């Protein structure tokens, strides 16, 4: 329980950052849309590249992002089919992003550092890349299909640089090429900007605190998929691998479990804003899950770990 309280207090600065984003949007007329473009096309690819470059890569570790990507894709597509039966306001195509990914970067990295230390953080970042790949490929495509044709949606996915940053980093890492020392501070600063701007954009997207839930059916589907279905899948994988498969060590199981209980990704708001697909609905739901996670994550971590 002491660990749960320590984690609780560790998360408070993240919520202060969301509040600062709201102040910037409400009183300084800061544009979340402009920041969304910077995040998606510059900051996020940089964080992905630097994370893979320093990770200890082995065949099993290289497989981890694709394993998480596969789970996210299956969950996202399944929930999209359910959402289209329940939602009729055009917001259904955002559900895969809400369910399949998570705020594994802006929110999860500080928590992982607290729980696992520097060594465990590397494994967590490799797992996290699976959700990043999902956001920037299948998740983005499904969201875009709510407004664009198949051809246009695929073209928008191909223009996203995070996938190319991941592949380039894997090749360079396996070739034994590291990041030059002169650029290390730059990537460290970009990782800081990743967390700060990512959380602030949630606050910027909230123009009013009335009716944060928006469409209650949308919010209920997002909560169910993110905080019930994803954790159950992670627990099943943990049990199956530890008792039958024996492929990964407990540190990997814990990293995947943490990914499963993070709130909805702030990048959901970024993508919804860029595509102009229910951005307020996305922002309100992301903020609600972020508030819920303040209590949910410490409790789940204390029970599981």
């Amino acid at each position: 329980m002491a660990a749960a309280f320590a984690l609780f207090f560790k998360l408070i600065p993240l919520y202060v950052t969301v509040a600062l984003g709201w102040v910037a949007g409400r009183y300084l007329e800061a544009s979340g849309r402009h920041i969304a473009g910077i995040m998606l096309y510059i900051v996020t690819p940089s964080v992905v590249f630097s994370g893979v470059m320093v990770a200890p890569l082995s065949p099993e570790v290289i497989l981890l992002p694709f394993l998480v990507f596969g789970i996210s894709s299956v969950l996202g597509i399944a929930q999209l089919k359910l959402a289209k039966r329940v939602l009729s306001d055009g917001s259904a195509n955002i559900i895969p992003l809400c369910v399949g990914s998570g705020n594994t970067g802006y929110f999860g990295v500080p928590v992982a550092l607290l729980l696992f230390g520097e060594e465990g953080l590397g494994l967590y970042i490799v797992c996290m890349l699976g959700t990043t790949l999902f956001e920037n490929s299948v998740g983005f495509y499904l969201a875009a299909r709510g407004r664009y044709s198949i051809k246009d949606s695929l073209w928008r996915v191909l223009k996203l640089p995070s996938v190319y940053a991941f592949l380039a980093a894997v090749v360079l890492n396996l070739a034994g090429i590291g990041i030059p020392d002169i650029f290390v501070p730059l990537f460290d600063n970009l990782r800081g900007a990743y967390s700060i701007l990512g959380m602030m954009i949630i606050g910027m997207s909230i123009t009013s605190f009335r009716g944060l839930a928006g469409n209650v059916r949308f919010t209920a589907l997002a909560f169910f998929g993110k905080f019930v279905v994803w954790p159950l899948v992670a627990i099943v994988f943990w049990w199956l691998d530890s008792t039958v498969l024996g492929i990964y060590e407990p540190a990997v199981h814990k990293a995947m479990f943490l990914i499963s209980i993070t709130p909805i990704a702030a990048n959901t708001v970024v993508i919804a804003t860029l595509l102009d697909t229910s951005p307020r609905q996305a922002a309100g739901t992301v903020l609600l899950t972020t508030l819920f996670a303040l209590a949910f994550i410490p409790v789940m971590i204390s029970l599981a770990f």
Side-chain angles (χ1 to χ4, degrees):
M1 188 57 68
F5 278 111
L7 183 57
F8 175 86
F9 286 109
K10 186 71 174 181
L11 297 179
I12 290 177
L14 298 178
Y15 295 90
V16 173
T17 308
V18 173
L20 291 175
W22 179 80
V23 171
R26 179 68 175 81
Y27 297 104
L28 303 179
E29 299 183 357
S31 172
R33 185 176 181 85
H34 292 159
I35 294 177
I38 294 172
M39 291 295 295
L40 200 62
Y41 292 100
I42 298 176
V43 180
T44 299
S46 301
V47 173
V48 170
F49 181 80
S50 61
V52 176
M53 285 292 286
V54 300
L57 297 185
S58 66
E60 293 80 9
V61 172
I62 293 175
L63 178 64
L64 276 175
F66 299 100
L67 174 63
V68 175
F69 169 81
I71 294 174
S72 296
S73 299
V74 170
L75 292 178
I77 293 171
Q79 291 282 1
L80 175 60
K81 292 182 178 180
L82 175 62
K84 285 187 173 180
R85 296 181 179 180
V86 177
L87 303 174
S88 58
D89 60 355
S91 62
N93 287 77
I94 298 297
I95 284 291
L97 282 170
C98 294
V99 173
S101 61
N103 201 338
T104 54
Y106 314 141
F107 195 98
V109 167
V111 177
L113 185 61
L114 174 67
L115 292 174
F116 309 139
E118 288 288 348
E119 294 183 3
L121 179 63
L123 276 176
Y124 171 82
I125 288 178
V126 172
C127 293
M128 180 194 85
L129 293 174
T131 62
T132 303
L133 287 172
F134 169 78
E135 289 173 2
N136 290 277
S137 58
V138 175
F140 190 97
Y141 170 78
L142 294 176
R145 285 290 291 122
R147 290 181 59 86
Y148 301 97
S149 67
I150 294 178
K151 180 181 178 180
D152 288 340
S153 298
L154 288 174
W155 176 239
R156 287 173 176 270
V157 169
L158 290 174
K159 291 193 296 183
L160 295 172
S162 291
V163 176
Y164 305 109
F166 170 78
L167 295 175
V170 168
V171 172
L172 292 173
N173 188 318
L174 293 177
I177 301 173
I179 297 175
D181 292 340
I182 192 174
F183 290 111
V184 170
L186 171 63
F187 284 105
D188 288 342
N189 291 333
L190 285 168
R191 187 168 68 177
Y194 179 72
S195 275
I196 296 297
L197 295 178
M199 296 305 290
M200 286 187 72
I201 200 172
I202 298 175
M204 290 179 193
S205 300
I206 301 296
T207 57
S208 171
F209 285 97
R210 293 182 179 179
L212 275 182
N215 186 331
V216 177
R217 291 183 178 182
F218 179 99
T219 304
L221 283 172
F223 265 78
F224 175 73
K226 191 68 199 71
F227 292 123
V228 178
V229 179
W230 224 131
L232 284 176
V233 171
I235 290 171
V236 169
F237 172 78
W238 189 340
W239 172 83
L240 181 64
D241 187 58
S242 60
T243 59
V244 180
L245 301 177
I247 300 174
Y248 295 108
E249 57 189 56
V252 172
H253 304 149
K254 292 179 180 180
M256 286 192 63
F257 183 74
L258 176 57
I259 284 173
S260 75
I261 60 175
T262 54
I264 294 174
N267 274 353
T268 300
V269 183
V270 173
I271 294 172
T273 301
L274 287 174
L275 297 175
D276 194 23
T277 304
S278 305
R280 292 187 181 181
Q281 175 70 70
T285 305
V286 167
L287 181 57
L288 286 176
T289 62
T290 305
L291 294 173
F292 177 73
L294 182 62
F296 181 74
I297 288 181
V299 171
M300 294 298 288
I301 290 297
S302 63
L303 291 175
F305 293 2

